[in-house]
Each structure stands twice: as C-alpha cells, then as structure tokens.
Amino acid sequence: MARVTLEEVTKRYEDVTAVENMNLAIEDGEFVTLVGPSGCGKSTTMEMVAGLTMPTEGTINIGDREVTNLPPKDRGIAMVFQNIALFPHMDVYDNISFGLRLRKMDKAEIDDRVEHAADVVQMKGMLDRMPDEMSGGQRQRVAIARAIVREPDVFLMDEPLANLDAQLKVHMRTELQRLHDQLDTTIIYVTHDQEEAMTMSDRIAVINGGNLQQIAPPLTCYNEPANLFVAGFIGSPGMNFFEGTITEGGFESDFFEVELDPASMGVSAGEDVTLGIRPEDVYLAEESSSLTQPTEQIEATTDVLEPMGKEILVYLLLGEDVDIDLDDPSSGSQLLMSVDPSADVESDQTIEVVLDRRKVSLFETDTSDAIQHGLVEPAQAGTDGATGAEAETDD
Ligand code: ADP
C-alpha cells in the first residue's frame, strides 16, 4: 500500500501539452479514477505514474520515495490494461505465475500466491484452462490475478473493462470494488466512462484538456461540480445550462426567469452567469405542487422522447421560435428533462414545465467556475437544511 503524489507534473510532446501542471494526492488504499473525454491526458498521467513515460516537469512520489525517473520495475506497481495480453499457449496457472517464475521465485511461494490471487478473482477451479477456453471476463480476471501475485503497492488500471460487453462490464465493476475491499491496495483507474468512474471510486479526478478540473468523491462531483465542464461531463445525461444575467430579483435568460436573492447566492445584479439544472430537477407543471420552491411555469415544445425504462428523457425546445439549431448547444434553448415513465407526454406537444429552484446551480459565464449550488434565500440562510447543507452562508 502506498500514497501516490504528483506535484506540478507536466508532459509536453512537440506541439501538444498532454498534461499540464497536474497536482494529485492519492491516499494510501484509495481507489481513484482518472476520468475525462478521449485525449484529455488520462493515459499519459497513468503512464507517468507507471514509469512508461517521463514527465517534462514535476515530481512523482510513490510511498515515501520519489520515483520520477525510476524504471517501472522499481516502482512497486502492477498494471492491468484494456488489451488483455495473455500468453495463448499457457494455461491460467502459467499465465498468472509468469512474472514470478521469471524472477525465479520459490515454487511453494509461487503456488501460495497464485492460489490466493485465483481465489480473489474467483478462478480457483480453472487454473488449467487455456485462454481460448475462457470468456472475455474470465481472461480479464486472469490478467488481474497476474497483477495481484506481484503484491504491488499500487494497481494501475487503464480502461480494463473497455472491451467487455455491457452486462459483463457491470458485473466486473462490482468485482473490482470487492477486489479493492479485499486487497486494501491503492488503485488508480483510468476510464472515459463517467458512470464507471461514479460507481467504483472513492474519489474521481475529472480531467479536461490536460488539466485537472476537480478531484472529489463521486457525489460531490455530481452535486457540487467545480465548473461547467464537470457539471456537463458527470451525470448521464449532464446538466442543462442557460446563459443569462442577474437582475435585482434573480436570474433572467431569453427563455425564463428564476427568482433568487442575488446577495445570498453570491452574485450581484448585472453579472453574467450560467444557470445549471439537472434533467431530474425539471418537472411537468402539474407536478409542481410536490415542490416547495418551483419556478414560474415555462412554456416548452416537446421534441424527441427517449424511453429509458425507469424514466423518459424528454428533449424540450424553449421559446416561441422553436426553429433552433440543435447542433448549437449555445443557443441555450434546449432543455432536457427526465419524467416518470407513466407520464402522459408525446412529441410535438406544447407543455408547461417548472424547475426546482432548490436545485439550481450558478456558474460564472466568463470563467465557467461554480458560484453556488442550491438555493440560498435570506430568510433561510444558515437555517434550512433543504437548501443544501453545503451552501455557504455569510450570516
Ligand atoms: P486519453 O488517455 O485521455 O485519451 P492521452 O493521455 O492518451 O489521452 O493523450 C493526451 C494527449 O496527448 C492527446 O492529445 C494525444 O494525442 C497526445 N499524445 C499522447 N501520446 C503522445 C505521443 N507519444 N506523441 C505525441 N502526442 C501524444
């Protein structure tokens, strides 16, 4: 087990800065997932921890040792990758024990370690199977067992579930969590899949364009995203955004107004802000009696409906002129809502919706940084838990 720290780590290729000034402190035994869109620098960050790529600047520590310039074999790490490269002519036992045999470890010790690792990944009865006699999930478990027998201080996993089908992926997610509980080892995991990141990790590090956006527990990233990028990336689908301006009485956009107390929300009249609202915090007007703090009704036209089973995602168009460029999200006229599957909604209908004011987030339009998550009103400041315990109040 070991703590892993990156201090001001930058990786530049000729004309690309893959990772910029990355500061990360991953605690001993923690499961941290690096998540972000393709090309954001996740794998490069992981490869620098592994020693497969050298940083241009900065230092990396594993445990109490600086490892910035050490080769991979001296770092106390084990890696599991997306492409499961098992030796096709070796059975499970030989595949798992390959590295130990290379190191000429004592046979009894090898047997002990293989047995333990096979037990952890539930492959104990399959040690004489050949790779072509196994499913994708079983092969991935062998690859994980091969990492376990090395008894690393840190596991590095780069999209290990990417090639598995959806059902198996969900199953392996629980297996990896169980593995983490059992081994109690530091795990750094890379994925572009925010759902995978949300479900498994103690904390997720959201990266975009080589820059760390936020590192926090999954629900903190969901409920209190540090900026517009995190709010849009975390959650499926992401948050809705509307650019607008703060007035004396609240937020005003081209499509609707939301009553709020600017001072309590940390903004002032005239300020350009972006309002964020998650699809599940938008309601049909007839449901608004269940809300303590609904907005005024907003007229909308239903566009596409996506039935998901437990919910229907309804794409709404706001404003009188609904002839809007759907490829241009900055038009800000699209609003996505999630409704109960029993709701009576069809496409091309005019309906009224409301937002749950308690759930609005405000972001600075210029910098995209979060200003406030959840409603704070003067009368409630500091007293009402329903406005969000995390809300900051000055008085
Ligand atoms: P991710 O894992 O998030 O998809 P990567 O870390 O692989 O992203 O890549 C980050 C950026 O660095 C990308 O723009 C990629 O093209 C660039 N990059 C990665 N490796 C190299 C390399 N060896 N030479 C030049 N550019 C690279």
Side-chain angles (χ1 to χ4, degrees):
M1 291 213 295
R3 188 167 194 262
V4 179
T5 57
L6 281 76
E7 283 170 36
E8 295 177 9
V9 169
T10 292
K11 176 66 185 182
R12 272 188 286 276
Y13 293 104
E14 264 174 33
D15 50 357
V16 184
T17 303
V19 174
E20 193 172 7
N21 198 23
M22 181 78 73
N23 287 292
L24 273 181
I26 295 161
E27 300 304 328
D28 196 8
E30 202 179 15
F31 190 143
V32 168
T33 299
L34 312 181
V35 68
S38 181
C40 74
K42 312 177 288 290
S43 297
T44 304
T45 305
M46 173 83 98
E47 283 162 14
M48 290 191 287
V49 176
L52 300 172
T53 301
M54 294 299 146
T56 316
E57 286 163 27
T59 47
I60 300 173
N61 288 277
I62 297 180
D64 47 16
R65 284 189 311 153
E66 182 181 339
V67 300
T68 317
N69 297 308
L70 291 184
K73 67 177 178 51
D74 297 334
R75 295 187 179 209
I77 50 149
M79 290 175 273
V80 182
F81 292 107
Q82 172 177 346
N83 297 318
I84 315 154
L86 298 185
F87 297 109
H89 57 285
M90 290 185 195
D91 65 13
V92 170
Y93 176 94
D94 284 345
N95 262 293
I96 296 178
S97 61
F98 182 76
L100 307 183
R101 288 184 285 123
L102 262 193
R103 281 195 259 156
K104 306 244 180 312
M105 187 180 276
D106 176 66
K107 170 90 169 78
E109 169 77 14
I110 293 179
D111 283 350
D112 277 354
R113 288 197 188 193
V114 171
E115 192 177 334
H116 167 69
D119 193 23
V120 171
V121 299
Q122 298 179 331
M123 294 286 290
K124 230 174 156 177
M126 305 179 93
L127 289 175
D128 53 3
R129 285 274 182 102
M130 300 302 283
D132 65 2
E133 296 169 337
M134 291 184 288
S135 68
Q138 288 168 333
R139 283 200 289 271
Q140 190 55 282
R141 285 193 226 167
V142 175
I144 293 168
R146 192 166 56 183
I148 293 173
V149 291
R150 303 187 51 196
E151 299 186 350
D153 294 326
V154 181
F155 278 101
L156 303 178
M157 302 191 179
D158 194 346
E159 304 253 12
L161 309 185
N163 291 339
L164 305 182
D165 67 46
Q167 214 175 354
L168 191 53
K169 218 180 244 190
V170 172
H171 175 70
M172 287 301 288
R173 286 202 313 232
T174 27
E175 295 228 339
L176 285 174
Q177 286 181 72
R178 194 173 46 77
L179 177 83
H180 180 236
D181 288 347
Q182 237 171 314
L183 298 176
D184 213 13
T185 307
T186 312
I187 297 182
I188 307 179
Y189 189 98
V190 162
T191 181
H192 64 277
D193 179 343
Q194 61 88 29
E195 192 177 297
E196 212 168 286
M198 290 286 283
T199 48
M200 291 195 297
S201 328
D202 294 321
R203 285 190 301 162
I204 55 184
V206 185
I207 302 174
N208 188 33
N211 292 289
L212 180 66
Q213 307 290 309
Q214 183 168 19
I215 176 163
L219 285 180
T220 305
C221 290
Y222 189 82
N223 292 321
E224 298 165 53
N227 56 35
L228 290 174
F229 178 80
V230 178
F233 189 79
I234 298 295
S236 176
M239 212 180 248
N240 293 290
F241 300 123
F242 292 89
E243 289 186 9
T245 312
I246 294 296
T247 62
E248 296 296 338
F251 168 87
E252 188 177 284
S253 73
D254 290 346
F255 308 101
F256 58 84
E257 293 175 17
V258 178
E259 194 187 318
L260 359 123
D261 179 54
S264 306
M265 295 292 284
V267 288
S268 36
E271 208 173 321
D272 289 334
V273 300
T274 298
L275 180 137
I277 186 89
R278 293 216 174 262
E280 64 268 31
D281 298 321
V282 183
Y283 292 80
L284 298 170
E286 55 261 36
E287 298 171 323
S288 65
S289 57
S290 66
L291 295 176
T292 55
Q293 302 273 2
T295 56
E296 299 279 292
Q297 297 191 2
I298 303 165
E299 189 176 288
T301 307
T302 57
D303 187 19
V304 177
L305 268 60
E306 290 180 353
M308 308 293 287
K310 67 177 174 27
E311 62 179 346
I312 305 174
L313 296 175
V314 184
Y315 290 80
L316 301 168
L317 299 172
L318 303 186
E320 286 175 10
D321 175 13
V322 293
D323 186 18
I324 293 148
D325 180 5
L326 290 180
D327 294 329
D328 176 16
S330 69
S331 64
S333 53
Q334 218 188 94
L335 174 66
L336 179 57
M337 76 183 294
S338 158
V339 298
D340 191 84
S342 63
D344 182 20
V345 189
E346 290 168 21
S347 55
D348 281 329
Q349 263 182 321
T350 302
I351 60 167
E352 304 282 340
V353 298
V354 297
L355 314 182
D356 184 349
R357 288 168 64 233
R358 294 172 308 163
K359 299 293 178 64
V360 297
S361 292
L362 295 182
F363 300 86
E364 286 178 17
T365 299
D366 281 358
T367 64
S368 99
D369 288 341
I371 304 169
Q372 175 65 41
H373 298 295
L375 186 70
V376 195
E377 291 194 303
Q380 297 172 319
T383 56
D384 188 349
T387 59
E390 67 286 353
E392 285 175 15
T393 53
D394 292 327
D395 47 10

